[in-house]
Amino acid sequence: MVKIKYEYLFLVTIFIISTCGLIYELIAGTLASYLLGDSVTQFSLIIGIYLFSMGIGSYVSKFFKNNNLISRFVEIEILIGLIGGLSAPLLFLLFNKVDFFEFYLYFIVFIIGCLVGLEIPILMIILKDKFKFNTLVSNVFTFDYIGALLASILFPIFFIPYLGLIETSIVFGIVNIGTGLLMCFILQKEIKNAYFLKVKGFFSLVILLTTLLFSSAILSFSEKSLYGESIVFSKTTKHQRIVLTHESKNFNLYLNNNLQFSTFDEYRYHEMLVHPALSFAEKVDNVLILGGGDGLAAREILKYKEVKKITLVDLDEEMTNLFKENKLFTKMNNFSLQNNKVKIINQDAFVWVNTNKQKNIML
């Protein structure tokens, strides 16, 4: 019975900590791309630092004494949950307040990576006398990889669109701490000072739950400080963060912290984009727009009576829906996306072009 208890607890714990560990890495990479831009560089640096620090953590694990390792493991779970859970809200608040933001970002990633690197080796040491070596190793890597796969699938499909970065980090911090507390209750007879570990765990949970309660306010405060303008609309889709700000008589649209357009002068850009191309085209009855989910290019194209069909291909369905249905956005594009001549396709533009033949003019 004891062996079965250990086995199930072991498998569940491995699965949970591997899922949480990868989620923290993805959160850091996404947040760095959102705030600093250059997603290729940021994800490369985050992954490199995270894996290196995991190696440091694995190396340090050999200095832990075999006695009372379960207590140490629970403490590590609580610490990872607290730091990992608070990482996103803390970094959002720090971004516009400190110099050398990258140092704080990479330092937090390094600390989380070191703690995550400690988890598996310590857990294997705890269980080495309870399982055969080949069974122990195979189970560790099997459930570690399964947890990583689940995290990588659910992160872009579910967690970011429906929870957001701050909420996702806090929720998984709670999961990490909950895992430590679960071990406290199930194995309390084998843990020294189990009572004090429970107090630490519940105190950390209170901190994360309080932060979760104010997560929306934290994000609003940080973005208001970042943009220095009144935010009239904000939403995180599975592809990007959409923020619309208002300043004086102008509206500014930001996608992943990058200015997309300002109503003060966007007409200049879209007129130069559309009219020279259409004026030199032999036929303009069938036009393809790659991107342009805001409908502003389509607005200019619809000024030509010869246009019979516009095919607009944009990756983000929520982006096109906003500019098709929201009154504030439809006023900007003069209801172009509601026009019967405009056909909207939400798909990767590169894939669409390579699988469809489009005649006439492409913008």
Side-chain angles (χ1 to χ4, degrees):
M1 183 69 182
V2 175
K3 185 175 180 180
I4 294 175
K5 179 176 71 173
Y6 261 101
E7 183 176 358
Y8 281 107
L9 179 62
F10 161 68
L11 296 178
V12 170
T13 302
I14 290 292
F15 178 78
I16 291 174
I17 63 178
S18 64
T19 303
C20 292
L22 186 60
I23 288 291
Y24 297 139
E25 182 181 2
L26 292 171
I27 287 172
T30 305
L31 187 145
S33 300
Y34 172 56
L35 294 177
L36 301 173
D38 194 357
S39 59
V40 174
T41 299
Q42 294 307 322
F43 264 100
S44 296
L45 288 172
I46 294 297
I47 292 172
I49 294 170
Y50 193 80
L51 292 177
F52 170 74
S53 58
M54 285 180 65
I56 297 295
S58 297
Y59 177 79
V60 171
S61 67
K62 73 178 184 178
F63 298 106
F64 281 68
K65 297 180 179 180
N66 288 347
N67 59 320
N68 209 23
L69 270 180
I70 298 178
S71 296
R72 300 288 80 78
F73 180 80
V74 172
E75 287 178 340
I76 290 170
E77 287 302 296
I78 294 172
L79 195 56
I80 291 175
L82 190 59
I83 297 175
L86 294 176
S87 61
L90 179 62
L91 288 169
F92 267 112
L93 290 173
L94 286 175
F95 178 67
N96 208 37
K97 302 295 182 181
V98 299
D99 296 325
F100 306 110
F101 170 77
E102 291 87 344
F103 170 79
Y104 296 92
L105 168 66
Y106 301 141
F107 180 73
I108 290 175
V109 170
F110 179 80
I111 295 298
I112 295 174
C114 287
L115 293 171
V116 171
L118 282 168
E119 289 177 308
I120 298 297
I122 290 179
L123 198 57
M124 291 181 70
I125 296 171
I126 294 171
L127 299 167
K128 65 182 176 62
D129 297 326
K130 298 176 174 63
F131 296 91
K132 293 181 179 179
F133 179 76
N134 59 340
T135 301
L136 178 62
V137 173
S138 64
N139 283 340
V140 165
F141 286 107
T142 298
F143 282 86
D144 184 36
Y145 294 146
I146 292 174
L149 174 64
L150 182 67
S152 63
I153 293 174
L154 292 180
F155 183 77
I157 295 176
F158 177 77
F159 294 122
I160 292 304
Y162 296 103
L163 288 180
L165 277 176
I166 290 180
E167 291 83 356
T168 299
S169 70
I170 296 172
V171 166
F172 277 89
I174 292 171
V175 171
N176 252 138
I177 295 172
T179 303
L181 287 174
L182 179 67
M183 295 192 73
C184 258
F185 282 101
I186 295 178
L187 304 175
Q188 57 184 337
K189 293 181 179 179
E190 302 181 41
I191 299 176
K192 295 180 181 180
N193 300 321
Y195 173 79
F196 292 105
L197 285 176
K198 292 176 185 177
V199 171
K200 291 178 183 178
F202 282 115
F203 181 71
S204 299
L205 280 179
V206 170
I207 293 175
L208 290 184
L209 288 171
T210 303
T211 308
L212 182 62
L213 186 64
F214 293 98
S215 59
S216 296
I218 291 172
L219 182 60
S220 297
F221 174 80
S222 63
E223 287 188 327
K224 186 175 181 180
S225 175
L226 174 64
Y227 298 118
E229 303 163 4
S230 299
I231 297 175
V232 296
F233 179 87
S234 62
K235 186 172 185 178
T236 300
T237 73
K238 64 181 181 180
H239 299 291
Q240 57 197 343
R241 174 76 176 169
I242 303 172
V243 177
L244 184 72
T245 66
H246 180 254
E247 183 182 22
S248 185
K249 298 180 180 181
N250 304 312
F251 291 93
N252 301 315
L253 179 72
Y254 295 88
L255 299 181
N256 289 344
N257 197 29
N258 296 306
L259 180 64
Q260 188 74 4
F261 68 76
S262 172
T263 54
F264 175 73
D265 60 359
E266 60 81 14
Y267 69 93
R268 300 175 183 173
Y269 168 79
H270 290 98
E271 285 179 355
M272 291 299 295
L273 173 71
V274 171
H275 298 303
L278 266 64
S279 63
F280 283 101
E282 294 182 3
K283 296 175 64 178
V284 296
D285 57 318
N286 190 8
V287 182
L288 170 64
I289 304 175
L290 301 180
D294 49 36
L296 298 176
R299 176 196 66 197
E300 297 300 318
I301 295 171
L302 287 170
K303 293 179 180 179
Y304 292 80
K305 296 181 180 180
E306 310 96 290
V307 173
K308 297 179 180 178
K309 178 183 178 183
I310 299 174
T311 303
L312 190 151
V313 183
D314 191 278
L315 182 64
D316 196 341
E317 183 177 5
E318 294 198 49
M319 177 77 169
T320 53
N321 286 341
L322 281 174
F323 280 86
K324 183 179 180 180
E325 300 169 0
N326 188 290
K327 292 182 179 180
L328 189 60
F329 292 107
T330 54
K331 185 178 180 181
M332 297 178 189
N333 60 32
N334 197 25
F335 304 94
S336 62
L337 298 186
Q338 296 181 15
N339 194 292
N340 293 331
K341 295 180 180 180
V342 179
K343 179 182 179 182
I344 300 173
I345 298 174
N346 294 114
Q347 187 178 347
D348 185 277
F350 178 81
V351 174
W352 191 89
V353 168
N354 281 274
T355 54
N356 294 271
K357 292 182 179 179
Q358 180 70 21
K359 296 180 179 181
N360 292 347
I361 188 167
M362 177 172 68
L363 295 175

